[in-house]
Amino acid sequence: MIDVVYGDFYTLSYAKGTGTKIFFSLLLSFVLVLSLIVPTASAKIKETKDASKAKRLHVQIVLFDGFDLLDVTAPYEVFAAAGMYSGEKVTVELVSAEGKRSVPSGLNGPSLEAQTALDPNRSGIILVPGAAGKPTGNTEDTIPNILRQPNETDLPDLMKQAFDNKEVTVATVCGGSLLLAMQGLLKDRHAVTHHIGMDALEAAGAIPVQARVVEDGPRLVSGGGVTSGLDVALYLVERELGPQIANAVETLFEYERRGTVWKAKGIAPIDFTTSQ
Amino acid sequence: MIDVVYGDFYTLSYAKGTGTKIFFSLLLSFVLVLSLIVPTASAKIKETKDASKAKRLHVQIVLFDGFDLLDVTAPYEVFAAAGMYSGEKVTVELVSAEGKRSVPSGLNGPSLEAQTALDPNRSGIILVPGAAGKPTGNTEDTIPNILRQPNETDLPDLMKQAFDNKEVTVATVCGGSLLLAMQGLLKDRHAVTHHIGMDALEAAGAIPVQARVVEDGPRLVSGGGVTSGLDVALYLVERELGPQIANAVETLFEYERRGTVWKAKGIAPIDFTTSQ
């Protein structure tokens, strides 16, 4: 488009046999037209460059025995749909600390197959779901007990490497942040978890924040209870690929992202819960 | 509680040596007290009876090749949580027309294991999900093509039996209603599907209704796009087990059911889209 405009401009400015007045009048018109057209054209070029250089995003979703099915499948499907709409710029796979294996979800739910081992050296997003189980009690099938079990595996070591990798964003849904906090990995980090687990999150050293989605720096994004996995994934799709892909996924899913993503930016609200 | 009250009443009314005036005064007081206590006591008894006679609800969720993962897992988890909160009054299983087998979800997504064959003679809910694939096009992996494939299996026959069974409610999520309509099973029935499929639903003989959840009679409940599976399942949990269990699941999932369930009841709104 720019070529065509410049082409006409040069043709005209070099046109012989026209009076100086007409020439300058035409020149002025074309400068005006150019001032309208060029920024649009530049924006279009910039947009195309942005799209072409948009890094491919790889998402690993971590499975462990007793994981919550919806914590995994909701973000899985958001990222898969983002891949579909972006010409496969997003890829997503299910992983486990132990490698390829069938992993049972909690409450005797269905199993999902981890396709490969969690790779903390691979750039992109590593998402940790919560567990499905009884909210409280002393039996093995309570959520706190299920979240404690991965401590005995390689997961804490792998997640520590993930946190050390500057090319990785760690995301969590529901009890996922509590799982990491129980492994000592969220010390002094802002995070949210399922509302039942907020006290436990604080006790494990994190700074609990009441929000649907919390971003602590760019490399830790946590979500609240179960269905917040939709919002965590939609936020990350927007952040990494822009609002158009995120909006397309929302439309496809007949869902609108919920809540302002909390970040330690801007002014903080006055705390009316403490005595002033 | 009623026994105790009547006991005291008879004891008093048969008490000898009290004056007639005192007796009638006391009688009047007790009638008043009874009029306050008995209805409450009756309500409590009725409530207990309601709870104890609450039928066990069995939910079969149908898997077919190319099913949409979230269409299945969102209602699965709602019903599973309702089971947890009701002392297992709700049970849910994944089924297929072919029986026990591993069924791949669409868009090369993870497989889920159908535990057994779909049984149209078993009372309860039979839920049919939609497909995951490209929304349009001519390739095999488009949603209309994936939805057409179960026509070649026993699913249409089994679903026809399900519709004939008065103890079964058929529920659908997303393309599930379109799948049934394409099998000729939704002729003149009110239903909703994913917004992209509404015209196809009408072309297949159903009456499309723009709503998050549509109930056609008590035995057909359909939902819109993907995430409406949460709303379909929460509505059915409330309908079958009452609002307290549904509310507990909502709280656990940090989700609030969306939309008024459309039914052919009450007055119909004036249609402003047709010329008056």
Side-chain angles (χ1 to χ4, degrees):
Chain A
M1 199 166 181
I2 284 179
D3 285 344
V4 173
V5 172
Y6 275 108
D8 288 354
F9 178 76
Y10 284 117
T11 308
L12 266 164
S13 59
Y14 283 103
K16 316 249 164 170
T18 50
T20 311
K21 198 175 167 186
I22 293 175
F23 172 73
F24 278 106
S25 168
L26 276 170
L27 181 61
L28 185 65
S29 303
F30 270 89
V31 167
L32 281 171
V33 168
L34 270 176
S35 71
L36 292 172
I37 292 174
V38 172
T40 315
S42 304
K44 280 203 179 164
I45 285 167
K46 191 168 178 298
E47 205 174 283
T48 314
K49 270 191 188 159
D50 277 358
S52 65
K53 81 171 178 189
K55 58 180 182 238
R56 291 180 179 275
L57 176 67
H58 186 67
V59 183
Q60 302 179 69
I61 301 183
V62 181
L63 303 182
F64 56 86
D65 288 27
F67 72 88
D68 182 279
L69 195 61
L70 205 47
D71 289 5
V72 167
T73 54
Y76 180 95
E77 194 145 322
V78 169
F79 290 121
M84 183 180 75
Y85 278 123
S86 63
E88 310 308 328
K89 285 206 192 304
V90 185
T91 45
V92 51
E93 63 184 350
L94 304 178
V95 301
S96 84
E98 300 80 20
K100 186 174 167 66
R101 70 180 182 100
S102 179
V103 188
S105 63
L107 286 173
N108 297 316
S111 294
L112 286 177
E113 178 91 2
Q115 297 153 267
T116 185
L118 166 61
D119 180 0
N121 299 314
R122 185 160 184 183
S123 64
I125 292 167
I126 296 176
L127 185 144
V128 181
K134 302 209 167 103
T136 50
N138 290 318
T139 50
E140 264 193 14
D141 59 352
T142 62
I143 290 174
N145 282 339
I146 299 170
L147 291 177
R148 211 166 279 127
Q149 283 163 21
N151 279 355
E152 311 302 315
T153 72
D154 291 337
L155 192 62
D157 270 355
L158 292 167
M159 289 310 300
K160 187 175 180 317
Q161 291 175 52
F163 274 106
D164 290 343
N165 183 346
K166 295 203 177 353
E167 300 296 317
V168 165
T169 293
V170 174
T172 67
V173 177
C174 200
S177 52
L178 188 53
L179 180 150
L180 295 176
M182 287 157 88
Q183 296 173 355
L185 295 170
L186 294 195
K187 186 90 186 117
D188 298 330
R189 304 293 297 266
H190 295 94
V192 62
T193 189
H194 190 284
H195 61 273
I196 295 176
M198 290 293 268
D199 289 344
L201 189 68
E202 187 166 24
I207 307 166
V209 177
Q210 298 276 2
R212 184 82 170 163
V213 178
V214 171
E215 186 176 68
D216 178 289
R219 294 186 36 239
L220 174 62
V221 176
S222 55
V226 190
T227 54
S228 73
L230 291 164
D231 309 288
V232 166
L234 284 166
Y235 170 65
L236 288 168
V237 166
E238 182 187 2
R239 196 185 82 171
E240 301 294 321
L241 290 106
Q244 296 183 57
I245 299 292
N247 180 264
V249 176
E250 281 184 325
T251 306
L252 183 70
F253 282 26
E254 299 189 3
Y255 184 82
E256 298 80 37
R257 205 182 89 202
R258 286 170 59 178
T260 299
V261 175
W262 186 95
K263 303 171 193 184
K265 288 182 179 174
I267 60 169
I270 296 163
D271 183 357
F272 289 104
T273 61
T274 55
S275 55
Q276 307 264 324
Chain B
M1 196 169 182
I2 285 180
D3 284 345
V4 173
V5 171
Y6 274 107
D8 287 354
F9 178 75
Y10 284 118
T11 308
L12 264 164
S13 58
Y14 284 102
K16 315 249 169 175
T18 50
T20 310
K21 197 175 168 188
I22 292 175
F23 173 73
F24 278 107
S25 167
L26 275 170
L27 180 61
L28 184 64
S29 302
F30 269 87
V31 166
L32 280 171
V33 168
L34 271 176
S35 70
L36 292 172
I37 292 174
V38 172
T40 315
S42 304
K44 280 203 176 161
I45 285 166
K46 190 167 180 300
E47 202 174 284
T48 314
K49 270 189 189 160
D50 277 359
S52 65
K53 82 172 177 189
K55 58 181 180 236
R56 289 179 181 277
L57 175 68
H58 186 67
V59 184
Q60 302 179 69
I61 301 184
V62 180
L63 302 182
F64 55 86
D65 288 27
F67 72 89
D68 183 279
L69 194 61
L70 204 47
D71 289 4
V72 168
T73 54
Y76 180 94
E77 194 145 321
V78 168
F79 290 122
M84 182 179 76
Y85 278 122
S86 63
E88 311 307 330
K89 284 207 192 305
V90 185
T91 46
V92 51
E93 63 184 350
L94 303 178
V95 301
S96 86
E98 300 80 21
K100 186 175 168 66
R101 71 179 181 101
S102 177
V103 188
S105 64
L107 286 174
N108 297 315
S111 295
L112 286 177
E113 178 91 1
Q115 298 153 266
T116 185
L118 167 60
D119 180 359
N121 299 313
R122 184 160 185 181
S123 64
I125 292 166
I126 296 177
L127 185 143
V128 181
K134 300 204 169 108
T136 51
N138 290 319
T139 50
E140 264 194 13
D141 60 352
T142 62
I143 290 173
N145 283 338
I146 299 171
L147 291 177
R148 211 167 279 126
Q149 283 163 22
N151 280 355
E152 310 302 315
T153 71
D154 291 338
L155 192 61
D157 270 355
L158 291 167
M159 288 310 300
K160 190 177 177 316
Q161 291 175 52
F163 274 106
D164 291 342
N165 182 347
K166 294 201 177 353
E167 301 294 316
V168 164
T169 293
V170 174
T172 67
V173 177
C174 199
S177 53
L178 188 54
L179 180 150
L180 295 176
M182 287 158 87
Q183 296 173 355
L185 295 170
L186 294 196
K187 187 90 186 116
D188 297 329
R189 305 291 298 266
H190 295 94
V192 62
T193 188
H194 190 283
H195 61 273
I196 295 176
M198 289 295 268
D199 289 345
L201 189 68
E202 187 165 24
I207 307 166
V209 177
Q210 297 277 1
R212 184 84 171 161
V213 178
V214 171
E215 186 176 67
D216 179 288
R219 292 188 37 238
L220 174 63
V221 177
S222 55
V226 190
T227 54
S228 72
L230 291 164
D231 310 289
V232 166
L234 284 166
Y235 170 65
L236 288 168
V237 166
E238 182 186 3
R239 196 185 82 172
E240 301 294 322
L241 291 106
Q244 295 183 58
I245 300 292
N247 179 264
V249 176
E250 280 185 323
T251 305
L252 184 69
F253 282 26
E254 299 189 2
Y255 184 80
E256 298 79 38
R257 206 183 87 203
R258 284 170 58 177
T260 300
V261 175
W262 186 96
K263 304 170 193 185
K265 291 184 177 173
I267 59 169
I270 296 163
D271 183 357
F272 288 105
T273 61
T274 56
S275 55
Q276 306 265 326

